[in-house]
Amino acid sequence: MIIDEEKESELVESPSRRSFLGASSAALAAAAFVGLTANAQQRDDTHKAESDHSSSNPGPENMPLLAENPNSNTPPPTDHGDIGPIWYSFDLARNRMQEGGWAHQVTQRELPPSTDLAGVTMRLTRGSFRELHWHTADEWAIMLNGNARVTVLNPDGTMFIDDVTKGDLWFFPAGYPHSIQGLGPGDGCEFLLVFDEGMFSEDNTFLISAWLAHTPPEILTKNSNLDRSAIGRLPKDELYIFPAKLPGSLEQDRAAVGGKSVESLIRYTFKMSAIAPTVKTAGGEVRIVDSHNFPASKSIAAALVTLKPGGIRELHWHPNASEWQFYLAGKGRMTVFMPPTRARTMDFNANDVGYVPPVAGHYIENTGNTDLVFLEMFKADQYMDFSMNNWIRRLPPEMVTAHLNIDEATIRKIPAEKQVVIAG
C-alpha cells in the first residue's frame, strides 16, 4: 500500500489540528452542548501527550494502516472507553478466487458485534455464473459495476428474470432458488450482497451441482428421468462460480421459460438510480429504499448517502436495528456513542465496512476532498432514524436550557427540522 503525501501529512499532524481542520460548523455547534464527563479522557492531558513524547511509539508500526486510520491510533479527546470494533475492510478478507470471478466476505467472524447482517463483494466475468443456489438468509444486493442477469423461482412455479446494471438492487428471500450471470458489453460485473444473518457464509450455500453429485443415480432416474449417460455428465463437485457463454437477449430468455404464463407477479429488482433523492441539501443527498418503495425487500432497509466535502450525516440514531455500512467512495470518519460515556472514532475509505450497535448515537463526516458515498443497511422492513437537532428543537426551551446550559437564542440557532445531511 502506498502512502500519498496527503495521508502522510495527516498521520504526523497532531489530532488537535486535525480535529480543528476537519470540524464542520454543525460539529462545533454540537460540541457546545456535548460535554465530557468527569471521568472521561481529559482534553488537557491529551493535548499534553500530543506535544511531548507520550504518544510516540519507538517500536514497530504498520505505517500504511496508521495512515488509513489516524483517529484510531490517536483518538480525539472526546473518545472514551471501549465500544468494541466498528471497522473492517473487504481488502483484509480472504479472496475466494475461481475461473470466472471471486468473492470476499465480511461476517460476524470478522466483525464480531455484527450479529444481524453480513456482506459479500463478488465479481463475475462476462458470461460467468454464480451457480444456481439458495440459502438460509434473505439476500439484498446492489450492483457496483457492469451488468448482470438474475433469475429467481417462486414457490408457485412462476419465474422472475431481469437484467441489472450499476446502481440497481435486487432482493431474494431465504430459500428461493436463484442465479446471477455476468453480462457484456464490458467484462462482467461486481456487486455487494448483504444477508440478514451475521454468521452467514458464502461457503455454505445450497448448490444444485453439489446436491445432484450427492444423490444416488437411481433416485435421479426416478425423479428426473435422467439416463445413465446424462448422469455421467453431471458435475462431480460444486461449481460455485464458473465461466459460460453469454445468454441471448432478456426477451429470448423470458420467452424460453414460458413467457407471460409463468411470469412472476413480484418484482425482485429495483432501479434505485431512477428515483429522486429522498433528501437533498447543500451537504449532499440520501436515497432511502425499504419495503415502502421496494415491496419485495421485507427484511432489509437501506439508504445510499452522498456527502459533499466537509459535510456530515447529522448526529442521529436508529431505533429499530443496528447499522451495517459499506463505503463506496471517498474518505470519512465516524464517532459512535454508547452509554454511559463511551465513544469511539474511526476512519473509513472505499471498500471498508462500518458498524453501529443498535440505537447508538453517531455521525459520519466527509474528511476528504471528493464526495463520500456509503450505504447504511438495516435488518428491518423500514428505514427509521432520530435527529438530535430535531429532538432538541421539539422540546420546550426552558427544558433544553436546564439540561444543556444554553439560552433560548442559542437554541434557536439549532436546525428545527431533521436535516439528514448538513453542509460543512
Side-chain angles (χ1 to χ4, degrees):
M1 184 182 297
I2 299 172
I3 307 176
D4 59 32
E5 292 181 357
E6 179 185 352
K7 289 179 178 177
E8 188 173 11
S9 65
E10 288 174 356
L11 182 63
V12 299
E13 280 183 329
S14 72
S16 56
R17 178 173 180 265
R18 185 179 66 242
S19 299
F20 176 78
L21 293 174
S24 66
S25 57
L28 291 173
F33 51 81
V34 180
L36 295 175
T37 61
N39 64 342
Q41 178 173 308
Q42 296 300 305
R43 193 182 302 266
D44 288 345
D45 288 345
T46 302
H47 290 329
K48 290 176 182 176
E50 293 169 12
S51 61
D52 64 20
H53 64 278
S54 301
S55 62
S56 64
N57 183 355
E61 294 184 282
N62 186 329
M63 297 303 292
L65 189 60
L66 291 177
E68 294 290 321
N69 296 277
N71 282 286
S72 177
N73 187 58
T74 311
T78 45
D79 275 14
H80 180 236
D82 184 16
I83 65 171
I86 60 173
W87 172 92
Y88 200 78
S89 179
F90 277 106
D91 289 321
L92 297 177
R94 178 183 72 93
N95 189 5
R96 178 174 178 174
M97 190 175 296
Q98 297 189 205
E99 184 182 8
W102 50 255
H104 297 87
Q105 63 181 355
V106 174
T107 72
Q108 191 180 347
R109 287 172 291 274
E110 291 77 28
L111 194 55
S114 184
T115 59
D116 289 342
L117 298 176
V120 174
T121 51
M122 185 173 289
R123 161 96 164 104
L124 297 176
T125 59
R126 178 185 171 104
S128 294
F129 276 103
R130 170 65 172 95
E131 80 157 287
L132 295 164
H133 69 286
W134 72 97
H135 33 69
T136 58
D138 290 345
E139 173 181 310
W140 184 100
I142 182 171
M143 289 287 290
L144 303 178
N145 284 292
N147 302 281
R149 182 162 300 168
V150 298
T151 71
V152 59
L153 178 70
N154 289 317
D156 63 5
T158 56
M159 192 73 176
F160 180 81
I161 308 177
D162 199 16
D163 288 350
V164 286
T165 191
K166 184 177 180 179
D168 290 349
L169 314 179
W170 71 72
F171 182 88
F172 300 147
Y176 282 44
H178 54 278
S179 68
I180 312 160
Q181 184 177 20
L183 299 178
D187 187 23
C189 59
E190 183 179 350
F191 44 88
L192 170 72
L193 305 171
V194 177
F195 300 93
D196 69 341
E197 290 179 0
M199 288 296 288
F200 178 85
S201 173
E202 263 294 298
D203 300 326
N204 192 29
T205 57
F206 296 89
L207 305 174
I208 192 171
S209 58
W211 192 15
L212 294 177
H214 294 278
T215 301
E218 65 273 16
I219 299 300
L220 294 177
T221 299
K222 287 182 179 181
N223 186 80
S224 304
N225 297 322
L226 298 180
D227 58 27
R228 186 178 297 274
S229 64
I231 293 172
R233 294 192 298 272
L234 294 174
K236 301 299 187 290
D237 201 357
E238 64 175 354
L239 297 173
Y240 186 71
I241 291 174
F242 65 98
K245 294 180 180 179
L246 282 169
S249 69
L250 181 60
E251 291 72 22
Q252 287 174 319
D253 269 7
R254 286 173 172 171
V257 303
K260 290 288 185 181
S261 65
V262 298
E263 184 176 316
S264 172
L265 297 178
I266 302 171
R267 284 201 61 85
Y268 291 102
T269 57
F270 184 82
K271 310 296 183 183
M272 183 168 58
S273 58
I275 67 169
T278 312
V279 175
K280 188 170 185 176
T281 74
E285 63 183 38
V286 181
R287 284 178 167 84
I288 295 173
V289 180
D290 60 15
S291 60
H292 290 103
N293 52 2
F294 186 16
S297 188
K298 297 184 184 301
S299 64
I300 296 181
L304 178 65
V305 182
T306 300
L307 292 179
K308 298 296 182 183
I312 67 167
R313 173 72 175 89
E314 68 172 333
L315 291 163
H316 69 285
W317 70 96
H318 304 277
N320 58 338
S322 61
E323 178 176 330
W324 195 95
Q325 303 165 341
F326 178 68
Y327 287 80
L328 290 93
K331 180 179 179 180
R333 73 169 182 169
M334 173 173 70
T335 298
V336 176
F337 165 73
M338 289 284 287
T341 59
R342 292 173 292 158
R344 177 76 187 274
T345 303
M346 287 292 293
D347 299 274
F348 295 87
N349 296 274
N351 216 33
D352 286 352
V353 174
Y355 174 77
V356 181
V359 307
H362 58 288
Y363 73 88
I364 300 98
E365 180 186 23
N366 185 339
T367 55
N369 53 20
T370 61
D371 285 355
L372 175 65
V373 184
F374 62 95
L375 282 161
E376 301 177 355
M377 310 289 302
F378 309 90
K379 186 175 181 176
D381 66 337
Q382 59 182 310
Y383 181 95
M384 293 183 184
D385 70 343
F386 282 105
S387 159
M388 188 181 71
N389 285 339
N390 184 229
W391 182 31
I392 290 171
R393 288 300 306 277
R394 289 293 181 267
L395 296 170
E398 63 273 15
M399 187 182 296
V400 178
T401 298
H403 279 78
L404 304 180
N405 197 31
I406 53 178
D407 59 30
E408 186 169 351
T410 301
I411 294 168
R412 295 199 179 280
K413 294 179 182 179
I414 299 169
E417 302 301 328
K418 186 185 295 185
Q419 301 294 295
V420 186
V421 289
I422 300 175

